[in-house]
Amino acid sequence: MLADSASWLFRAAPYLIFAATRVAAALVPTFALGLTFSWSADLIVIAGLLGSARFFLALSGLDVGTSFGGIGSSREVMIASLAEPALIVVVFTLALIAGSTQLSTIAEVMGTPGIGLRVSLGLALVALIIVAVAENGRIPVDNPATHLELTMVHEAMVLEYSGRHLAMIELASFLKLLIYVSIIACVFVPWGVARPEAAPMALGVGIGAYLAKLAVAGYLLAIFETSIAKMRVFRVPVFLGAALMLALLATLLMFVTQVR
């Protein structure tokens, strides 16, 4: 069922959201480098695709004209306006190391012994984790299980959806979380990733390592969400501001290191 005031955009938005998220997911190298679409796996392109999906989601929340949809869309755009700059600055930090924003190149460089442990990479990792938590509407920024009008963000935009449209949006949200986990695993934990034209045994090891990374990430996310409470909405800018400052510090440290 659809609301009487819904336009064609409300009907098309779930498919557009899922399509953009699915294309972004196809670009992220998971268990091996040099996959079919690795040549186009650019971090800026992925950020743009996820931003397009968020744009259509916010429009769909506004389309019906309900108060909940307007609240959720305004909060979503507010969070995005703070999270996206931090994400782009993290991309700049990684580009200073690898000389490219292409994920396969970054993962290959990060897997070399010469990188080692760096303070700038630690700051970039923390900033990216904060952005991932905010972008996926997880605790403490949002609670995907709540329907309280004072706190909900993502759920407020999809309250009018049901059936296959809701299923497409929920599947896109699951894919988005997988994308961020895969990017963190690919860039900061590149161990076990198979090289281009690797043997079948290496591909099997890569698949096993990727599944192990997903299991560890899911366990850590569950531990984190059960040990912290949801923050108030007006504190979210401070939370994301910390991510932006950490990303800027990481970029400055990396730039100073490169100059020296």
Side-chain angles (χ1 to χ4, degrees):
M1 295 180 63
L2 293 174
D4 295 335
S5 58
S7 69
W8 63 270
L9 177 61
F10 190 80
R11 298 176 177 85
Y15 301 99
L16 296 173
I17 294 168
F18 177 77
T21 309
R22 180 65 185 88
V23 172
L27 299 181
V28 180
T30 53
F31 62 91
L33 303 178
L35 298 176
T36 304
F37 298 105
S38 62
W39 59 272
S40 58
D42 192 279
L43 275 173
I44 297 178
V45 173
I46 294 172
L49 288 169
L50 295 178
S52 299
R54 185 189 308 108
F55 171 74
F56 287 115
L57 181 61
L59 283 185
S60 65
L62 293 171
D63 184 72
V64 182
T66 61
S67 58
F68 285 158
I71 291 173
S73 296
S74 64
R75 291 175 178 175
E76 179 73 9
V77 173
M78 180 268 292
I79 292 172
S81 66
L82 298 170
E84 284 188 355
L87 176 61
I88 295 300
V89 176
V90 171
V91 173
F92 289 161
T93 304
L94 299 175
L96 285 174
I97 298 176
S100 172
T101 56
Q102 210 242 6
L103 264 176
S104 294
T105 303
I106 294 174
E108 189 172 0
V109 172
M110 294 290 287
T112 57
I115 295 298
L117 296 177
R118 301 189 184 185
V119 176
S120 56
L121 290 179
L123 296 175
L125 174 59
V126 175
L128 184 57
I129 290 175
I130 294 175
V131 170
V133 169
E135 287 281 274
N136 289 278
R138 312 301 302 189
I139 297 174
V141 176
D142 188 20
N143 186 354
T146 186
H147 284 84
L148 298 176
E149 63 272 14
L150 295 178
T151 59
M152 60 182 175
V153 179
H154 178 269
E155 292 299 316
M157 295 182 289
V158 301
L159 276 179
E160 299 297 327
Y161 279 111
S162 63
R164 66 180 184 277
H165 297 99
L166 180 60
M168 296 291 285
I169 292 178
E170 292 299 325
L171 183 56
S173 66
F174 299 154
L175 274 177
K176 187 176 181 180
L177 179 60
L178 180 63
I179 288 171
Y180 274 96
V181 172
S182 298
I183 290 175
I184 293 173
C186 169
V187 174
F188 295 98
V189 195
W191 309 313
V193 179
R195 301 299 175 183
E197 301 179 357
M201 181 64 70
L203 293 177
V205 172
I207 294 174
Y210 176 65
L211 294 177
K213 294 172 189 176
L214 291 183
V216 172
Y219 178 78
L220 293 177
L221 180 61
I223 294 296
F224 177 75
E225 290 192 340
T226 55
S227 61
I228 193 171
K230 184 185 178 305
M231 67 177 62
R232 297 179 179 179
V233 176
F234 67 84
R235 292 188 179 273
V236 173
V238 179
F239 183 67
L240 291 174
L244 180 58
M245 290 300 102
L246 290 173
L248 286 173
L249 284 174
T251 303
L252 291 175
L253 287 174
M254 188 59 62
F255 181 76
V256 171
T257 303
Q258 294 290 341
V259 170
R260 289 182 180 179

